[in-house]
Amino acid sequence: MRPKTLDHVAYWLADRDAVAGFAVAHLGMHVIDRTDAFTLVGTDARRGKLTLFAAEGPRERGALEHAALRVSDLEAALGALPHGLEVDRRREGEAYFEVGQDVWIGLVEAETFVDYDLDHVALRSADPQATASEYASLGFAAAAPASSGCPRVEVGGAWVEFHPGEPGAPERPLLNHVAVLVDSAEEHVAAARDLGIEIDDIVDAANTLAVFLRGPEHVRIEYVEHKPTFSLR
């Protein structure tokens, strides 16, 4: 398994338009695609994105702690947020806040190809170190701990962090899946079968081919291939 980049984080949301509106108004994003099922937002369709699936609420955070976006100028990015929004400046160069519906977003100041690209996604884990090791079998690379001290793995210059906490098994999770870009989804189907990893679904869409696997602690991981027809902006 050879994921190339962290492609998107997908949510189940009772009001996807509210979160999409916040991302467009305050996080430098635009609506890349909108269907009856989901809204896709980001600064560039080929960089890190957020996918917002319509679902009944309320949702439970479960394994999802937050998704963090990379910006070149943190103070400028904070200046674009709504006046009065409560912001947690827990570490130098980082800021975290809730955009509604228990969706927490982080901003991390670092060199970046494009502002508001994905920097990392943080997941709750009953055993963070063991979970990080399990992700190695899913193609993620070992990495030094995050600035928080939490174990993490790397994919294409972005990370998945594992924070101490109980992910549970919610009936209505907030997290739909974490997606990584690959050259060939079909190769990852074969690899998953060889490794005995549960295949949750295979989706052949107009612009993408994706295989969904069941990762540690009930987290779905999507390995998505962009077809030659991929033309979103």
Side-chain angles (χ1 to χ4, degrees):
M1 291 188 168
R2 297 178 299 277
K4 297 166 60 179
T5 61
L6 184 58
D7 190 76
H8 63 268
V9 179
Y11 300 79
W12 293 113
L13 293 170
D15 186 355
R16 57 176 164 147
D17 290 337
V19 175
F22 187 102
V24 170
H26 305 292
L27 299 177
M29 297 185 176
H30 65 277
V31 175
I32 297 169
D33 194 16
R34 191 182 194 282
T35 72
D36 290 341
F38 67 86
T39 302
L40 179 67
V41 295
T43 56
D44 185 321
R46 297 185 181 276
R47 308 296 299 185
K49 302 167 290 292
L50 304 178
T51 307
L52 316 174
F53 282 88
E56 292 185 2
R59 311 304 296 184
E60 301 174 63
R61 286 178 73 182
L64 183 60
E65 186 69 24
H66 63 255
L69 309 172
R70 192 174 298 166
V71 295
S72 55
D73 186 334
L74 179 59
E75 295 306 320
L78 290 174
L81 297 179
H83 180 70
L85 181 69
E86 186 174 344
V87 176
D88 180 357
R89 301 289 298 269
R90 63 189 69 171
R91 285 177 293 276
E92 182 69 23
E94 301 178 31
Y96 298 86
F97 46 88
E98 185 191 0
V99 304
Q101 301 176 77
D102 226 4
V103 175
W104 281 80
I105 296 293
L107 298 175
V108 177
E109 185 174 88
E111 184 176 346
T112 181
F113 179 79
V114 57
D115 276 338
Y116 301 102
D117 197 358
L118 281 171
D119 181 82
H120 69 268
V121 57
L123 304 175
R124 296 171 178 170
S125 173
D127 189 339
Q129 193 62 61
T131 301
S133 297
E134 286 186 67
Y135 270 71
S137 67
L138 299 172
F140 294 79
S147 59
S148 62
C150 295
R152 65 179 180 176
V153 292
E154 186 264 343
V155 54
W159 293 274
V160 181
E161 298 182 4
F162 304 101
H163 292 220
E166 181 50 58
E171 293 184 4
R172 291 184 172 183
L174 179 62
L175 179 65
N176 184 312
H177 63 266
V178 175
V180 293
L181 182 66
V182 297
D183 286 324
S184 171
E186 289 184 352
E187 287 183 3
H188 284 74
V189 171
R193 288 173 175 158
D194 288 343
L195 293 168
I197 298 170
E198 179 185 355
I199 296 175
D200 192 59
D201 199 5
I202 299 173
V203 178
D204 190 351
N207 293 299
T208 59
L209 177 63
V211 55
F212 292 83
L213 307 182
R214 283 288 174 182
E217 298 178 309
H218 308 288
V219 173
R220 287 205 313 162
I221 302 172
E222 177 189 9
Y223 294 79
V224 59
E225 170 191 344
H226 289 172
K227 293 182 178 179
T229 55
F230 188 88
S231 60
L232 299 175
R233 296 184 179 180

